[in-house]
Amino acid sequence: QKEVEQNSGPLSVPEGAIASLNCTYSDRVSQSFFWYRQYSGKSPELIMSIYSNGDKEDGRFTAQLNKASQYVSLLIRDSQPSDSATYLCAVGSGGSYIPTFGRGTSLIVHP
Amino acid sequence: DTGVSQDPRHKITKRGQNVTFRCDPISEHNRLYWYRQTLGQGPEFLTYFQNEAQLEKSRLLSDRFSAERPKGSFSTLEIQRTEQGDSAMYLCASSRGTPGEETQYFGPGTRLLVL
């Protein structure tokens, strides 16, 4: 049983701070890792994907992957109230087209 | 709009009725997925198609659920004899690429309420 674990939160940060969202996974052969943002009542929207160990930056977002520790994180710099949403971690394994989703972490950025 | 589209966006039905949802994927994507999502949970995989072939179904998927993708383009998801526990957001996603490295793009979802 492949599992993806996320703290459901909510994680509350002040505007302008760095928000750090974490995700652990159980399947050691996982190869692809995705972060989706989901606003209340809306569908998931892809923010970033990462496939190799290390950091990947895109604007205010940085994904960090550590396969040895089976850990992936998302950092959001200069957090804005518009970043308030649920962030879903999804993990894909080689040979499978079906990623496993975590339950998401609720982020609240307060002014 | 070249994204994934779903219809209807909302559906209210009475218990025991049948409902059908439609999904139109991004045109060049050959894989199409159906998920179900309830409040506070991540998307739960239901089934997926590669072109017109249904390649996998979740073991959790009741036989009241059926999906088709007759020409490898749009797909329909039917729920027969709906139950209150079927109330959820039904999400469709499409993708292309190699296993484990592809990205799924989601449609806006169909929110189902069974009374």
Side-chain angles (χ1 to χ4, degrees):
Chain A
Q1 179 76 10
K2 300 174 184 177
E3 294 183 349
V4 176
E5 299 289 340
Q6 296 182 258
N7 188 321
S8 60
L11 172 66
S12 182
V13 300
E15 184 174 358
I18 296 175
S20 178
L21 304 162
N22 304 316
C23 173
T24 59
Y25 58 94
S26 63
D27 188 355
R28 290 187 173 276
V29 298
S30 297
Q31 293 184 346
S32 55
F33 307 85
F34 307 92
W35 284 100
Y36 287 85
R37 177 176 61 199
Q38 187 172 28
Y39 292 113
S40 181
K42 303 295 185 182
S43 63
E45 171 193 12
L46 180 71
I47 297 175
M48 292 191 69
S49 58
I50 185 168
Y51 304 103
S52 303
N53 278 330
D55 295 359
K56 180 181 178 182
E57 186 175 320
D58 184 0
R60 296 187 296 112
F61 299 96
T62 298
Q64 299 176 317
L65 175 60
N66 184 325
K67 289 186 178 180
S69 299
Q70 295 177 234
Y71 177 95
V72 58
S73 65
L74 179 70
L75 301 178
I76 306 175
R77 290 181 300 281
D78 188 24
S79 296
Q80 302 298 308
S82 59
D83 294 326
S84 298
T86 295
Y87 289 79
L88 297 165
C89 173
V91 176
S93 297
S96 172
Y97 288 110
I98 305 166
T100 301
F101 283 83
R103 61 188 300 175
T105 298
S106 174
L107 173 66
I108 299 172
V109 181
H110 53 88
Chain B
D1 186 351
T2 58
V4 180
S5 62
Q6 292 186 246
D7 184 71
R9 298 289 300 276
H10 299 90
K11 179 70 177 179
I12 300 174
T13 190
K14 294 182 179 179
R15 188 175 51 188
Q17 298 294 304
N18 299 344
V19 295
T20 300
F21 309 142
R22 175 177 170 130
C23 171
D24 287 86
I26 294 171
S27 58
E28 62 267 27
H29 286 182
N30 60 341
R31 278 183 288 283
L32 185 150
Y33 305 76
W34 286 99
Y35 291 87
R36 176 172 60 192
Q37 187 177 26
T38 54
L39 194 64
Q41 301 297 318
E44 173 192 18
F45 169 75
L46 295 178
T47 189
Y48 99 94
F49 294 83
Q50 180 159 305
N51 300 314
E52 67 275 9
Q54 186 174 18
L55 296 187
E56 191 163 340
K57 291 174 61 174
S58 168
R59 289 171 294 173
L60 302 175
L61 197 62
S62 160
D63 58 6
R64 296 184 296 105
F65 288 70
S66 62
E68 294 182 340
R69 193 183 184 196
K71 296 183 179 179
S73 56
F74 73 92
S75 175
T76 58
L77 177 69
E78 181 182 18
I79 309 174
Q80 296 181 327
R81 306 180 303 280
T82 53
E83 302 173 356
Q84 289 183 324
D86 296 331
S87 297
M89 172 81 91
Y90 289 84
L91 295 165
C92 176
S94 70
S95 71
R96 65 174 181 175
T98 56
E101 292 191 356
E102 62 172 33
T103 301
Q104 296 186 357
Y105 295 89
F106 284 86
T110 294
R111 186 171 295 281
L112 173 66
L113 177 61
V114 181
L115 301 176

